[in-house]
Each structure stands twice: as structure tokens, then as C-alpha cells.
Amino acid sequence: MNKSNEGATARSGWMRPEAAEEVLPLPRILEALAAVRRRVRAVLTDWDLAPEVADDALLVVSEMITNAVMHALPPATLRLSRVTGHGGCTLRVEVTDAGPAAQRRRGVRDTLPEEHGRGIAIVAALSFRCGARVHPGGVTRWADLRVA
């Protein structure tokens, strides 16, 4: 699902979307998330985001969607929203899932700090605000990134 509202840019007359949204279902297979990342890259390119902002956004998306697939109940959905207003532009990344899955026993390999456990810190470092909202359908985790 893709939705956008068009608004005119004063300088050139070119039509720039004031708001845009992309919603993608998340597959339950970790290996299939690469296709989601490719689609996100294409959307961010279409939205004309600066390469450094797109790179940060892709890392945030990657952390959030991987956590949803590994640790939450299906279904899971990714929503990207770009909103322009109040002198700036914000990219919101939201991942909604059906809530936490039952804990599985972890082996030594699963607990290596080099490989796991830094996702929330990465999301917090790259966003100017982030959080989670619990609702009757599950949990929505979100992060807002500044877009120049």
C-alpha cells in the first residue's frame, strides 16, 4: 500500500510530496528480510532522501524488522512515513507485531554480545526519538529520524 499527498514547492514549481507512506508485510523468514530492505532502499530513493539519512534509516529498519521476526508473534508489518511540516521533515519507522513470542532457550552462540543485544541502542542513537506502544493488537515500536 502506498499513499501520498502532493504539495507544490515554491521555488521550482516541482510537485513534492508533503506526506508519503509505505506499508510492507514482514515475512517470517529471516533470509527473506533482504527483499524488504531492498524495497525500503527503493522507497527512500523515490522520496529523495539524502544518502546518509537513507543509510541510517536502513540500519534502523534492519534492526527493527529483524527483532520483530526473531522475537515477536506474527503478523508483523513495517510502515514508513515521511511528513513535512513545521520547518522540517521527519521519517517515521514503525514495526507492528502481535506481541512477544515465548522465550526460547538460548545457546552459547545466541548470546555472544558481538552479534546480539545492541539493536535498541542503535535505533536510539540514530533517531531523535523512539519508543513503543502496546495496544490490543500487539506492540508498535517506532523511531523518528530527521530528514534535512
Side-chain angles (χ1 to χ4, degrees):
M1 173 187 291
N2 188 355
K3 175 172 68 173
S4 65
N5 299 319
E6 301 293 327
T9 299
R11 279 181 254 146
S12 66
W14 176 72
M15 298 298 280
R16 179 177 177 138
E18 296 298 325
E21 181 177 81
E22 184 79 20
V23 179
L24 302 166
L26 297 178
R28 294 300 306 162
I29 302 166
L30 281 174
E31 294 77 16
L33 292 178
V36 174
R37 289 184 198 92
R38 284 191 298 275
R39 178 65 189 137
V40 168
R41 169 71 77 187
V43 167
L44 299 177
T45 299
D46 287 348
W47 290 353
D48 201 26
L49 267 65
E52 60 274 6
V53 174
D55 289 344
D56 287 352
L58 276 168
L59 185 50
V60 167
V61 165
S62 184
E63 292 296 335
M64 292 174 71
I65 66 177
T66 300
N67 284 345
V69 170
M70 288 183 67
H71 304 295
L73 295 170
T77 304
L78 168 67
R79 178 184 310 270
L80 301 171
S81 305
R82 188 196 67 213
V83 179
T84 303
H86 304 291
C89 185
T90 299
L91 174 67
R92 173 161 282 196
V93 177
E94 292 180 324
V95 174
T96 300
D97 56 55
Q103 293 283 333
R104 65 179 176 88
R105 270 190 101 191
R106 292 183 167 186
V108 172
R109 185 169 185 224
D110 289 343
T111 59
L112 293 174
E114 311 80 59
E115 295 182 19
H116 299 286
R118 297 180 301 196
I120 294 170
I122 291 169
V123 170
L126 295 175
S127 62
F128 71 91
R129 76 181 157 222
C130 60
R133 184 175 21 105
V134 178
H135 47 82
V139 179
T140 299
R141 289 166 185 79
W142 55 271
D144 289 343
L145 288 81
R146 290 194 205 291
V147 179

